[in-house]
Amino acid sequence: MSAPPIVFGEVSFESFATHTAYFCCPAWGIKEWRSFDQISLPISDLGFRQGVTAVERLRTYGGTVFCVEQHLLRLRETLRLLRIEKGPSTGQVEKLIEECLKLNAQLVQQADVGMTIWVTAGSAEFDPTWAIHLNAIDHDAVAHRQLHGQPIVITNVVQPPMESWPRQAKVRNRLHYYLADLEAKQLAPDATGMLLDLDGSVTESSVANVAIVRDGRLVVPPENNVLKGVTLGLLRQWANEQGILCFEAPLMPKDLHAADEVLLAGTDTGVWFANKVGQGGVDRQRGAFCRLLQEMLRRLVKRPITGN
């Protein structure tokens, strides 16, 4: 019998509009907890003017934030790559994460939530603007994707070269992802668009890292070519623990079409799969490898997660 999807409660999206969030804006002399709907950016801020914003997305399972340490390491690396200085320290963010959960305990206890941390470059006159706030997870969509998958479309949108844009940086400037998803949704409303690399290989989408299962082996894109996904890192770790060979190689579109399974990994949904690859692709069901990894995630989140 199939295991049920990983869902912890339900809560309306409207409940998030006035939750308590932390906001630091030196340009306006603000450094406080305030209602989420009272957060905005100065027009002079580089986060608005040029999209220079580091971001990290987390989520809770059973009310506990998942893999905090890995996410904050990635945030610190993003800040380094973007040369954003004088932002919050890792220790400061850790304390504010816990406080955010406590201040919004009633909301967090109703259902698992997402959490977003973002830090802009500020401006010539002022230090970075940053915030920590919650965001809703569409649990119905998560459950559907885990059980029934999601279509993916290999688009014509090419990722910026690494010489121009460090791919290990998770940022708010997501124009390429936006365009890829627009292209994908012309074929299927619920599809996500996969970006290409300069060599024509498939890299990632706006919501997921991608991997394939081929001849009993897990194949992932070269780590330096894509965002270092926290969930994908867990998949690789679990594959090694199960004695499953995992190796890196460019994934060409033909590789995805010929794969035994096409796996997707991301913070909100965890582990799911591509139920169709592009227009005219064959319909795919949830495979044995996907089921195994979903079960391992299920076992992991039944106990508190700190990322240690």
Side-chain angles (χ1 to χ4, degrees):
M1 182 179 294
S2 299
I6 304 170
V7 176
F8 292 88
E10 295 292 341
V11 64
S12 68
F13 281 76
E14 292 76 13
S15 303
F16 288 83
T18 57
H19 79 271
T20 303
Y22 189 81
F23 183 48
C24 178
C25 182
W28 290 339
I30 297 171
K31 190 177 182 180
E32 64 183 18
W33 292 97
R34 56 166 50 191
S35 177
F36 174 70
D37 59 4
Q38 297 299 311
I39 294 178
S40 59
L41 275 179
I43 290 178
S44 61
D45 195 289
L46 288 172
F48 174 79
R49 292 176 63 87
Q50 297 184 357
V52 186
T53 306
V55 66
E56 194 58 43
R57 289 285 305 275
L58 306 89
R59 67 156 292 169
T60 64
Y61 283 107
T64 301
V65 180
F66 181 69
C67 289
V68 174
E69 183 177 338
Q70 291 95 320
H71 280 287
L72 294 189
L73 282 173
R74 188 169 66 179
L75 175 62
R76 188 167 66 189
E77 176 65 3
T78 298
L79 292 173
R80 184 188 70 81
L81 290 169
L82 299 186
R83 302 179 187 177
I84 295 178
E85 300 177 351
K86 299 183 180 179
S89 68
T90 299
Q92 185 178 11
V93 171
E94 287 176 331
K95 292 178 181 178
L96 290 172
I97 285 174
E98 293 301 318
E99 193 169 352
C100 187
L101 294 179
K102 291 178 182 178
L103 290 172
N104 297 287
Q106 185 174 1
L107 186 61
V108 174
Q109 289 167 7
Q110 292 180 58
D112 274 305
V113 299
M115 179 177 287
T116 301
I117 306 164
W118 52 262
V119 185
T120 78
S123 65
E125 296 82 13
F126 296 102
D127 288 344
T129 304
W130 54 280
I132 298 176
H133 60 80
L134 303 180
N135 48 272
I137 293 175
D138 187 341
H139 290 289
D140 288 339
V142 166
H144 187 273
R145 289 174 181 175
Q146 289 177 357
L147 289 174
H148 305 292
Q150 179 181 22
I152 64 171
V153 175
I154 301 170
T155 71
N156 294 314
V157 181
V158 178
Q159 236 173 339
M162 288 178 283
E163 291 80 4
S164 301
W165 193 308
R167 295 184 186 171
Q168 296 302 304
K170 187 172 177 64
V171 297
R172 264 286 176 247
N173 193 326
R174 301 175 67 79
L175 180 59
H176 47 321
Y177 293 115
Y178 169 77
L179 293 173
D181 281 338
L182 279 184
E183 184 178 326
K185 293 181 188 309
Q186 291 178 357
L187 296 179
D190 57 339
T192 185
M194 306 303 300
L195 297 170
L196 295 179
D197 212 334
L198 296 174
D199 63 356
S201 64
V202 178
T203 57
E204 59 200 6
S205 84
S206 63
V207 296
N209 286 112
V210 64
I212 66 170
V213 178
R214 185 172 64 201
D215 299 327
R217 299 176 294 178
L218 184 67
V219 188
V220 300
E223 187 175 72
N224 291 335
N225 292 358
V226 296
L227 179 70
K228 189 175 182 180
V230 171
T231 307
L232 182 63
L234 286 175
L235 300 195
R236 298 185 65 171
Q237 174 187 324
W238 294 337
N240 289 331
E241 291 173 356
Q242 296 295 315
I244 299 168
L245 179 63
C246 177
F247 64 95
E248 298 181 7
L251 297 179
M252 306 306 292
K254 63 180 179 62
D255 296 323
L256 272 68
H257 286 287
D260 299 320
E261 297 182 47
V262 179
L263 301 176
L264 303 172
T267 296
D268 278 10
T269 305
V271 185
W272 70 112
F273 65 100
N275 57 24
K276 181 172 285 191
V277 180
Q279 190 174 22
V282 299
D283 292 333
R284 296 167 175 263
Q285 303 299 316
R286 186 167 54 145
F289 204 95
C290 182
R291 292 171 184 269
L292 171 65
L293 295 174
Q294 286 180 342
E295 180 58 30
M296 296 187 79
L297 177 60
R298 192 181 317 281
R299 293 175 185 174
L300 187 64
V301 300
K302 283 183 179 179
R303 61 180 186 269
I305 302 298
T306 62
N308 294 326

